[in-house]
Amino acid sequence: TTTTTTTNDNNNHVEWLFAFDVHCNSFVPLFVALYLGQLILSPLLVQRGFICALLSNILFCLSLSYYHYCQFVGFNSLPHLERTEYLLYPVVALVVLVIPLSVVQFNPTRWVLSWYFGSEVLQ
């Protein structure tokens, strides 16, 4: 018996080191934008109110959207992967959620800081 394989069958996987590299390359800008941005803007972002919630939601939306975009670019560079545009779908959800979350005054900066340090820090 003979076994025939196509070249696509042999190259149909992504090595975990490549996937980890793509994640690290995507996470560093997210980390810098979120943590440095929150550090610089923290006197404004920890306040209560619509504008502060909107700015915090925009900061998180831009940072997370850029993370997903970098993931897309990294995995899109592999010619054997198909439908990598699915990696961009969470960006649509993030953009759609910014205004409703801001209207109900959900402030991700306050939520993260209370998660890290406890709610008594923000009172």
Side-chain angles (χ1 to χ4, degrees):
T1 63
T2 60
T3 305
T4 59
T5 58
T6 62
T7 56
N8 284 343
D9 290 339
N10 294 334
N11 293 331
N12 224 5
H13 69 284
V14 177
E15 291 187 21
W16 73 271
L17 283 175
F18 179 80
F20 183 70
D21 185 48
V22 169
H23 162 72
C24 289
N25 290 337
S26 302
F27 184 75
V28 169
L30 169 114
F31 181 81
V32 170
L34 268 184
Y35 289 98
L36 201 61
Q38 282 185 128
L39 178 66
I40 293 169
L41 298 172
S42 64
L44 176 66
L45 295 178
V46 296
Q47 302 298 317
R48 296 184 189 273
F50 174 76
I51 299 296
C52 300
L54 179 66
L55 289 175
S56 180
N57 283 318
I58 288 172
L59 178 67
F60 272 76
C61 178
L62 289 175
S63 300
L64 291 169
S65 295
Y66 192 68
Y67 172 82
H68 286 287
Y69 175 72
C70 290
Q71 290 277 304
F72 164 73
V73 170
F75 288 115
N76 196 38
S77 67
L78 297 176
H80 64 275
L81 290 182
E82 298 175 0
R83 295 184 292 279
T84 54
E85 64 273 2
Y86 288 173
L87 295 169
L88 293 174
Y89 285 178
V91 174
V92 175
L94 288 168
V95 170
V96 167
L97 285 174
V98 166
I99 296 300
L101 288 175
S102 299
V103 167
V104 297
Q105 294 187 8
F106 173 73
N107 190 329
T109 300
R110 289 182 61 85
W111 183 79
V112 168
L113 289 177
S114 67
W115 186 60
Y116 282 162
F117 304 114
S119 60
E120 59 274 355
V121 173
L122 296 173
Q123 293 181 8

